[in-house]
């Protein structure tokens, strides 16, 4: 079965750090671009970061310089290192595969919740 | 940044009704527009890509149209499981894609 499974969310104080992980299974992970998309409670979807198959990374302006996306193809795992966290980073974080046949985010994980609060 | 607006914010319909959802972009995105469905407590699901192409496994009652700045998602006859929030996403300047604010389809 093709799936993504996130972990690593939790409660952290402002200025703190967290590392999210997303384990892929059921498809050749190394061939795909993968994204982090977040959703604040009761709000819409917000693109955070993307890493393509060539290991090039992209960031939303709101997280640039604070978040780092990476991948370990040997472990079929995507990461998001989040530093200098702010209250406005509180959200459900989804990893999502960028489709090759279907030009969209065609596979999503179930999400991991990050809460930044003092 | 390309800004997407969606209308209406809420669409109140009944099973069997036809639903027409609109998405407008602040500048042309050609046909690089996708639609997603999200139910409470779940991740989004890709419905339509490249404005009109149904994603794998999506029922034929879902259709998309439009190009440039104006797009429409149509659900021909609402099933009970279709009551959800629908988001459009522009992919014109991949990967810096943006989402619209969503349209809630409720009973």
């Amino acid at each position: 079965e093709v799936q993504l499974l996130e972990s690593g969310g939790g409660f952290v104080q402002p200025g703190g750090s967290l590392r999210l992980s997303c384990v892929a299974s059921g498809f050749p992970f190394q061939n795909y671009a993968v994204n982090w998309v977040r959703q604040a409670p009761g709000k819409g979807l917000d693109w955070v970061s993307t890493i393509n198959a060539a290991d090039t990374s992209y960031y939303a302006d709101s997280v640039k310089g604070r978040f780092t996306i990476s991948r370990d193809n040997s472990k079929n795992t995507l990461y998001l290192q989040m530093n200098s966290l702010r209250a406005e980073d509180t959200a459900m974080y989804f990893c999502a595969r960028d489709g090759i046949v279907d030009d969209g985010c065609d596979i999503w994980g179930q999400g991991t919740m990050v809460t930044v609060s003092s | 940044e390309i800004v997407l607006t969606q209308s209406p914010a809420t669409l109140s319909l009944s099973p069997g009704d036809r639903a027409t959802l609109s998405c407008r972009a602040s500048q042309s995105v050609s046909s690089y527009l996708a639609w997603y469905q999200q139910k409470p407590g779940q991740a989004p699901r890709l419905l339509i890509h490249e404005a009109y192409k149904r994603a794998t496994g999506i029922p034929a009652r879902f259709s998309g149209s439009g190009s440039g700045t104006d797009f429409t998602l149509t659900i021909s006859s609402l099933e009970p499981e279709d009551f959800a929030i629908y988001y459009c996403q522009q992919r014109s300047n991949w990967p810096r894609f943006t989402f619209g604010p969503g349209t809630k389809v409720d009973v």
Side-chain angles (χ1 to χ4, degrees), chain A residues 31-50:
Chain A
N31 293 349
Y32 287 81
V34 278
N35 313 285
W36 288 101
V37 176
R38 66 186 179 185
Q39 187 170 36
K43 302 297 184 182
L45 301 167
D46 188 28
W47 171 72
V48 174
S49 183
T50 296

PDB file of all heavy atoms in Angstrom, chain A residues 31-50:
ATOM      1  N   ASN A  31      12.272   8.772  -6.283  1.00  0.00           N
ATOM      2  CA  ASN A  31      11.876   9.329  -7.576  1.00  0.00           C
ATOM      3  C   ASN A  31      10.929  10.518  -7.476  1.00  0.00           C
ATOM      4  O   ASN A  31      10.605  11.141  -8.490  1.00  0.00           O
ATOM      5  CB  ASN A  31      11.186   8.265  -8.425  1.00  0.00           C
ATOM      6  CG  ASN A  31      12.134   7.156  -8.850  1.00  0.00           C
ATOM      7  OD1 ASN A  31      13.342   7.273  -8.680  1.00  0.00           O
ATOM      8  ND2 ASN A  31      11.582   6.083  -9.376  1.00  0.00           N
ATOM      9  N   TYR A  32      10.482  10.835  -6.279  1.00  0.00           N
ATOM     10  CA  TYR A  32       9.413  11.809  -6.108  1.00  0.00           C
ATOM     11  C   TYR A  32       9.844  13.047  -5.338  1.00  0.00           C
ATOM     12  O   TYR A  32      10.628  12.961  -4.385  1.00  0.00           O
ATOM     13  CB  TYR A  32       8.241  11.173  -5.350  1.00  0.00           C
ATOM     14  CG  TYR A  32       7.449  10.187  -6.165  1.00  0.00           C
ATOM     15  CD1 TYR A  32       7.897   8.882  -6.325  1.00  0.00           C
ATOM     16  CD2 TYR A  32       6.256  10.566  -6.770  1.00  0.00           C
ATOM     17  CE1 TYR A  32       7.169   7.971  -7.071  1.00  0.00           C
ATOM     18  CE2 TYR A  32       5.518   9.669  -7.509  1.00  0.00           C
ATOM     19  CZ  TYR A  32       5.978   8.364  -7.667  1.00  0.00           C
ATOM     20  OH  TYR A  32       5.253   7.471  -8.409  1.00  0.00           O
ATOM     21  N   ALA A  33       9.277  14.180  -5.733  1.00  0.00           N
ATOM     22  CA  ALA A  33       9.326  15.361  -4.881  1.00  0.00           C
ATOM     23  C   ALA A  33       8.317  15.182  -3.751  1.00  0.00           C
ATOM     24  O   ALA A  33       7.257  14.572  -3.942  1.00  0.00           O
ATOM     25  CB  ALA A  33       8.986  16.617  -5.682  1.00  0.00           C
ATOM     26  N   VAL A  34       8.670  15.687  -2.604  1.00  0.00           N
ATOM     27  CA  VAL A  34       7.765  15.601  -1.452  1.00  0.00           C
ATOM     28  C   VAL A  34       7.689  16.959  -0.758  1.00  0.00           C
ATOM     29  O   VAL A  34       8.642  17.741  -0.794  1.00  0.00           O
ATOM     30  CB  VAL A  34       8.189  14.512  -0.445  1.00  0.00           C
ATOM     31  CG1 VAL A  34       7.714  13.150  -0.889  1.00  0.00           C
ATOM     32  CG2 VAL A  34       9.691  14.474  -0.234  1.00  0.00           C
ATOM     33  N   ASN A  35       6.547  17.195  -0.155  1.00  0.00           N
ATOM     34  CA  ASN A  35       6.230  18.503   0.404  1.00  0.00           C
ATOM     35  C   ASN A  35       5.825  18.406   1.867  1.00  0.00           C
ATOM     36  O   ASN A  35       5.344  17.371   2.321  1.00  0.00           O
ATOM     37  CB  ASN A  35       5.030  19.110  -0.338  1.00  0.00           C
ATOM     38  CG  ASN A  35       5.142  19.029  -1.838  1.00  0.00           C
ATOM     39  OD1 ASN A  35       5.891  19.776  -2.453  1.00  0.00           O
ATOM     40  ND2 ASN A  35       4.400  18.099  -2.443  1.00  0.00           N
ATOM     41  N   TRP A  36       5.994  19.510   2.556  1.00  0.00           N
ATOM     42  CA  TRP A  36       5.341  19.712   3.849  1.00  0.00           C
ATOM     43  C   TRP A  36       4.292  20.802   3.655  1.00  0.00           C
ATOM     44  O   TRP A  36       4.593  21.876   3.128  1.00  0.00           O
ATOM     45  CB  TRP A  36       6.334  20.124   4.925  1.00  0.00           C
ATOM     46  CG  TRP A  36       7.235  19.020   5.369  1.00  0.00           C
ATOM     47  CD1 TRP A  36       8.531  18.815   5.001  1.00  0.00           C
ATOM     48  CD2 TRP A  36       6.912  17.957   6.281  1.00  0.00           C
ATOM     49  NE1 TRP A  36       9.026  17.696   5.628  1.00  0.00           N
ATOM     50  CE2 TRP A  36       8.064  17.148   6.421  1.00  0.00           C
ATOM     51  CE3 TRP A  36       5.765  17.604   7.022  1.00  0.00           C
ATOM     52  CZ2 TRP A  36       8.094  16.023   7.241  1.00  0.00           C
ATOM     53  CZ3 TRP A  36       5.794  16.485   7.826  1.00  0.00           C
ATOM     54  CH2 TRP A  36       6.952  15.710   7.942  1.00  0.00           C
ATOM     55  N   VAL A  37       3.088  20.499   4.107  1.00  0.00           N
ATOM     56  CA  VAL A  37       1.971  21.433   4.053  1.00  0.00           C
ATOM     57  C   VAL A  37       1.374  21.487   5.449  1.00  0.00           C
ATOM     58  O   VAL A  37       1.215  20.445   6.094  1.00  0.00           O
ATOM     59  CB  VAL A  37       0.896  20.964   3.041  1.00  0.00           C
ATOM     60  CG1 VAL A  37      -0.307  21.904   3.059  1.00  0.00           C
ATOM     61  CG2 VAL A  37       1.490  20.891   1.632  1.00  0.00           C
ATOM     62  N   ARG A  38       1.049  22.672   5.943  1.00  0.00           N
ATOM     63  CA  ARG A  38       0.513  22.764   7.291  1.00  0.00           C
ATOM     64  C   ARG A  38      -0.880  23.378   7.290  1.00  0.00           C
ATOM     65  O   ARG A  38      -1.287  24.045   6.332  1.00  0.00           O
ATOM     66  CB  ARG A  38       1.439  23.550   8.207  1.00  0.00           C
ATOM     67  CG  ARG A  38       1.594  25.025   7.883  1.00  0.00           C
ATOM     68  CD  ARG A  38       2.659  25.669   8.775  1.00  0.00           C
ATOM     69  NE  ARG A  38       2.858  27.073   8.477  1.00  0.00           N
ATOM     70  CZ  ARG A  38       3.791  27.823   9.058  1.00  0.00           C
ATOM     71  NH1 ARG A  38       4.610  27.292   9.981  1.00  0.00           N
ATOM     72  NH2 ARG A  38       3.908  29.108   8.733  1.00  0.00           N
ATOM     73  N   GLN A  39      -1.561  23.139   8.390  1.00  0.00           N
ATOM     74  CA  GLN A  39      -2.923  23.642   8.532  1.00  0.00           C
ATOM     75  C   GLN A  39      -3.138  24.048   9.987  1.00  0.00           C
ATOM     76  O   GLN A  39      -3.204  23.188  10.870  1.00  0.00           O
ATOM     77  CB  GLN A  39      -3.927  22.575   8.115  1.00  0.00           C
ATOM     78  CG  GLN A  39      -5.357  23.044   8.064  1.00  0.00           C
ATOM     79  CD  GLN A  39      -6.273  22.012   7.415  1.00  0.00           C
ATOM     80  OE1 GLN A  39      -6.094  20.801   7.587  1.00  0.00           O
ATOM     81  NE2 GLN A  39      -7.257  22.487   6.662  1.00  0.00           N
ATOM     82  N   ALA A  40      -3.218  25.339  10.227  1.00  0.00           N
ATOM     83  CA  ALA A  40      -3.496  25.827  11.570  1.00  0.00           C
ATOM     84  C   ALA A  40      -4.915  25.415  11.968  1.00  0.00           C
ATOM     85  O   ALA A  40      -5.772  25.218  11.101  1.00  0.00           O
ATOM     86  CB  ALA A  40      -3.342  27.341  11.626  1.00  0.00           C
ATOM     87  N   PRO A  41      -5.176  25.281  13.244  1.00  0.00           N
ATOM     88  CA  PRO A  41      -6.500  24.827  13.693  1.00  0.00           C
ATOM     89  C   PRO A  41      -7.627  25.678  13.118  1.00  0.00           C
ATOM     90  O   PRO A  41      -7.637  26.897  13.269  1.00  0.00           O
ATOM     91  CB  PRO A  41      -6.416  24.956  15.214  1.00  0.00           C
ATOM     92  CG  PRO A  41      -4.964  24.789  15.517  1.00  0.00           C
ATOM     93  CD  PRO A  41      -4.236  25.440  14.377  1.00  0.00           C
ATOM     94  N   GLY A  42      -8.547  25.022  12.421  1.00  0.00           N
ATOM     95  CA  GLY A  42      -9.695  25.704  11.840  1.00  0.00           C
ATOM     96  C   GLY A  42      -9.397  26.549  10.624  1.00  0.00           C
ATOM     97  O   GLY A  42     -10.274  27.289  10.158  1.00  0.00           O
ATOM     98  N   LYS A  43      -8.195  26.449  10.096  1.00  0.00           N
ATOM     99  CA  LYS A  43      -7.783  27.282   8.956  1.00  0.00           C
ATOM    100  C   LYS A  43      -7.534  26.451   7.717  1.00  0.00           C
ATOM    101  O   LYS A  43      -7.750  25.237   7.708  1.00  0.00           O
ATOM    102  CB  LYS A  43      -6.506  28.059   9.333  1.00  0.00           C
ATOM    103  CG  LYS A  43      -6.656  28.934  10.562  1.00  0.00           C
ATOM    104  CD  LYS A  43      -7.682  30.031  10.347  1.00  0.00           C
ATOM    105  CE  LYS A  43      -7.727  30.958  11.566  1.00  0.00           C
ATOM    106  NZ  LYS A  43      -8.764  32.015  11.420  1.00  0.00           N
ATOM    107  N   GLY A  44      -7.068  27.107   6.665  1.00  0.00           N
ATOM    108  CA  GLY A  44      -6.824  26.449   5.397  1.00  0.00           C
ATOM    109  C   GLY A  44      -5.430  25.860   5.298  1.00  0.00           C
ATOM    110  O   GLY A  44      -4.673  25.816   6.263  1.00  0.00           O
ATOM    111  N   LEU A  45      -5.098  25.415   4.101  1.00  0.00           N
ATOM    112  CA  LEU A  45      -3.831  24.746   3.830  1.00  0.00           C
ATOM    113  C   LEU A  45      -2.771  25.763   3.441  1.00  0.00           C
ATOM    114  O   LEU A  45      -3.040  26.716   2.703  1.00  0.00           O
ATOM    115  CB  LEU A  45      -4.026  23.726   2.708  1.00  0.00           C
ATOM    116  CG  LEU A  45      -5.072  22.645   2.989  1.00  0.00           C
ATOM    117  CD1 LEU A  45      -5.417  21.894   1.713  1.00  0.00           C
ATOM    118  CD2 LEU A  45      -4.553  21.688   4.057  1.00  0.00           C
ATOM    119  N   ASP A  46      -1.549  25.498   3.889  1.00  0.00           N
ATOM    120  CA  ASP A  46      -0.466  26.450   3.724  1.00  0.00           C
ATOM    121  C   ASP A  46       0.803  25.678   3.359  1.00  0.00           C
ATOM    122  O   ASP A  46       1.286  24.868   4.151  1.00  0.00           O
ATOM    123  CB  ASP A  46      -0.286  27.201   5.052  1.00  0.00           C
ATOM    124  CG  ASP A  46       0.687  28.348   4.965  1.00  0.00           C
ATOM    125  OD1 ASP A  46       0.827  28.928   3.866  1.00  0.00           O
ATOM    126  OD2 ASP A  46       1.317  28.673   5.989  1.00  0.00           O
ATOM    127  N   TRP A  47       1.350  25.918   2.167  1.00  0.00           N
ATOM    128  CA  TRP A  47       2.574  25.245   1.752  1.00  0.00           C
ATOM    129  C   TRP A  47       3.750  25.719   2.600  1.00  0.00           C
ATOM    130  O   TRP A  47       3.915  26.927   2.833  1.00  0.00           O
ATOM    131  CB  TRP A  47       2.853  25.520   0.277  1.00  0.00           C
ATOM    132  CG  TRP A  47       4.195  25.039  -0.172  1.00  0.00           C
ATOM    133  CD1 TRP A  47       4.577  23.743  -0.357  1.00  0.00           C
ATOM    134  CD2 TRP A  47       5.337  25.844  -0.482  1.00  0.00           C
ATOM    135  NE1 TRP A  47       5.896  23.693  -0.765  1.00  0.00           N
ATOM    136  CE2 TRP A  47       6.374  24.966  -0.864  1.00  0.00           C
ATOM    137  CE3 TRP A  47       5.591  27.220  -0.498  1.00  0.00           C
ATOM    138  CZ2 TRP A  47       7.648  25.413  -1.237  1.00  0.00           C
ATOM    139  CZ3 TRP A  47       6.839  27.676  -0.876  1.00  0.00           C
ATOM    140  CH2 TRP A  47       7.860  26.774  -1.234  1.00  0.00           C
ATOM    141  N   VAL A  48       4.579  24.775   3.041  1.00  0.00           N
ATOM    142  CA  VAL A  48       5.725  25.090   3.888  1.00  0.00           C
ATOM    143  C   VAL A  48       7.036  24.903   3.135  1.00  0.00           C
ATOM    144  O   VAL A  48       7.882  25.799   3.100  1.00  0.00           O
ATOM    145  CB  VAL A  48       5.722  24.190   5.149  1.00  0.00           C
ATOM    146  CG1 VAL A  48       6.990  24.395   5.971  1.00  0.00           C
ATOM    147  CG2 VAL A  48       4.478  24.447   5.987  1.00  0.00           C
ATOM    148  N   SER A  49       7.228  23.713   2.545  1.00  0.00           N
ATOM    149  CA  SER A  49       8.520  23.401   1.962  1.00  0.00           C
ATOM    150  C   SER A  49       8.404  22.214   1.028  1.00  0.00           C
ATOM    151  O   SER A  49       7.485  21.390   1.177  1.00  0.00           O
ATOM    152  CB  SER A  49       9.527  23.085   3.083  1.00  0.00           C
ATOM    153  OG  SER A  49      10.815  22.845   2.571  1.00  0.00           O
ATOM    154  N   THR A  50       9.323  22.148   0.079  1.00  0.00           N
ATOM    155  CA  THR A  50       9.380  21.051  -0.889  1.00  0.00           C
ATOM    156  C   THR A  50      10.824  20.651  -1.100  1.00  0.00           C
ATOM    157  O   THR A  50      11.721  21.511  -1.109  1.00  0.00           O
ATOM    158  CB  THR A  50       8.774  21.493  -2.238  1.00  0.00           C
ATOM    159  OG1 THR A  50       7.393  21.793  -2.066  1.00  0.00           O
ATOM    160  CG2 THR A  50       8.939  20.408  -3.303  1.00  0.00           C
TER     161      THR A  50
END
